[in-house]
Amino acid sequence: MDFTLSDDQKEIKRSVREFAEREIRPHVMEWDESQHFPLEILPRLAELGLMGVTFPVEYGGAGLGYVEYALIIEELARVDGSVAILVAAHNSLCAGHIYLSGTEEQKRKYLVPLAKGEKLGCWSLTEPQAGSDAGGTKTTARLEGDYWILNGSKTFTSNGTYADICVAMAVTDKAARKHGISAFIIEKGTPGFRVGKKENKLGLRSSDTAEVIFEDCRIPKENCLGQPGEGYVDSLKVLDHGRISIAALAVGMAQGAFEAALAYAKQREQFGKPIAQFQAIQFKLADMATEIDAARLLTLRAASLADSGCRVTGEASKAKLYAGEAAVRVANEAVQIFGGYGFIKDYPVEKYYRDVKLCTIGEGTSEIQRIVIARELLRE
Ligand SMILES: Cc1cc2nc3c(=O)[nH]c(=O)nc-3n(C[C@H](O)[C@H](O)[C@H](O)COP(=O)(O)OP(=O)(O)OC[C@H]3O[C@@H](n4cnc5c(N)ncnc54)[C@H](O)[C@@H]3O)c2cc1C
């Protein structure tokens, strides 16, 4: 078992860190306060190959693996979770679904511009009445001649307001329940497709989370993604890989909060000495570092298994569950180490504290991860 990164992986990590420190860090609080979606950095993300990390070069991607992808998401999230989730939703959800189930023609038409970062993607599964129970999707799609007509609304779509390409799930055969849900590719500007409310969020405030609405939205017949009726099952496969990125998002934010707390503990003096010399603070730092390491190892194990072509349902859920919950604990302790200053926006940890909570909710809550893990344990 090899726990070391290759020279190429170290170089990817280093270059993404340098980019995030130079081009994201200076704007993080301003973007957060104004809920500014940083469209201006998309060309830079594309230039670095971060908009199509795991897709083959022939489809415009960087041709890297999930280990590299996890390292990239971690490094972005260490500086700003909002940029990291923008990249994750685009890569693993929207583009990932097209790569998984798309025809060659769909890949050429949609995956290539997504992977090159010429177009931004979003992925709409969640609905107001169908969150954890995504099988309860209400949005419908009916075939009329050469067109599918979509009706319904999706909630909480990351990148929804700005995306050029949306992959959305809709019911095509109500009687077949989960097996009557299909996936569709919808282009921005299609009549009947519009964006509704942009959410005002606790955290990840410069990421975009929006309602997506279909009102007699007509899309060409060939924009059904995958086989009709397989949209739900394909979504679960997409989420298996997506959850690795949410685990990496959690690890990155936890790492950022930890580094800030460590530096502060060395410099803040009380009772005539740095607070890092108090064992109560040292034990917090020790626990934080241990939990981050454990979360990272689970994440990289799931990523590495995904790279070997293994089914990673259980491993991705374990990584996402543990990393998400550990990151919440780490951010909480980071605020504690900062004392009153941890509560103040002039210091970085309050933002990690707010941002990190999404990791126990998005792409399946912690409760749903436990259900998935238990189901895997009980599989015959
Ligand atoms: C910032 C953000 C970005 C998001 N991005 C996207 C996106 O890009 N695309 C997309 O499709 N969705 C996205 N989501 C939606 C997200 O995946 C859902 O919010 C999540 O799956 C939970 O669904 P829900 O909010 O409806 O909660 P609910 O399903 O209503 O859950 C409420 C509570 O009940 C619990 N619960 C539900 N069912 C069970 C059960 N069977 N057993 C035990 N407990 C249960 C849950 O764990 C939770 O604690 C995003 C959400 C947020 C907040």
Side-chain angles (χ1 to χ4, degrees), residues 156-276:
F156 298 153
T157 295
S158 296
N159 302 341
T161 312
Y162 302 94
D164 306 288
I165 295 166
C166 174
V167 169
M169 273 39 79
V171 176
T172 46
D173 179 0
K174 197 170 175 211
R177 300 160 69 94
K178 286 177 185 171
H179 299 286
I181 296 174
S182 308
F184 297 92
I185 304 172
I186 307 104
E187 291 183 51
K188 187 178 198 161
T190 305
F193 173 50
R194 69 180 172 91
V195 178
K197 184 181 172 219
K198 178 181 162 85
E199 302 295 348
N200 182 4
K201 307 196 293 294
L202 165 76
L204 299 177
R205 287 171 60 77
S206 67
S207 72
D208 176 59
T209 314
E211 194 184 9
V212 165
I213 299 165
F214 305 103
E215 290 160 328
D216 286 330
C217 173
R218 276 161 68 88
I219 57 166
K221 194 176 169 184
E222 62 270 19
N223 278 26
C224 182
L225 178 60
Q227 292 304 310
E230 290 186 6
Y232 178 78
V233 171
D234 284 351
S235 292
L236 298 185
K237 291 181 190 160
V238 168
L239 286 170
D240 280 353
H241 289 158
R243 284 169 183 158
I244 297 173
S245 68
I246 301 298
L249 178 74
V251 172
M253 289 193 272
Q255 179 69 29
F258 170 75
E259 287 176 24
L262 178 65
Y264 186 78
K266 288 192 209 161
Q267 158 255 304
R268 170 72 172 170
E269 292 195 3
Q270 287 294 282
F271 299 95
K273 50 181 160 177
I275 59 168

Side-chain angles (χ1 to χ4, degrees), residues 123 125-126 131-132 156 158 201 209 358 361 363 365 367 371:
W123 189 78
L125 175 66
T126 307
S132 299
F156 298 153
S158 296
K201 307 196 293 294
T209 314
L358 181 273
I361 298 169
E363 296 198 29
T365 62
E367 291 75 18
I371 291 173

Side-chain angles (χ1 to χ4, degrees), residues 361-373:
I361 298 169
E363 296 198 29
T365 62
S366 288
E367 291 75 18
I368 295 303
Q369 301 315 314
R370 288 186 173 94
I371 291 173
V372 172
I373 295 163

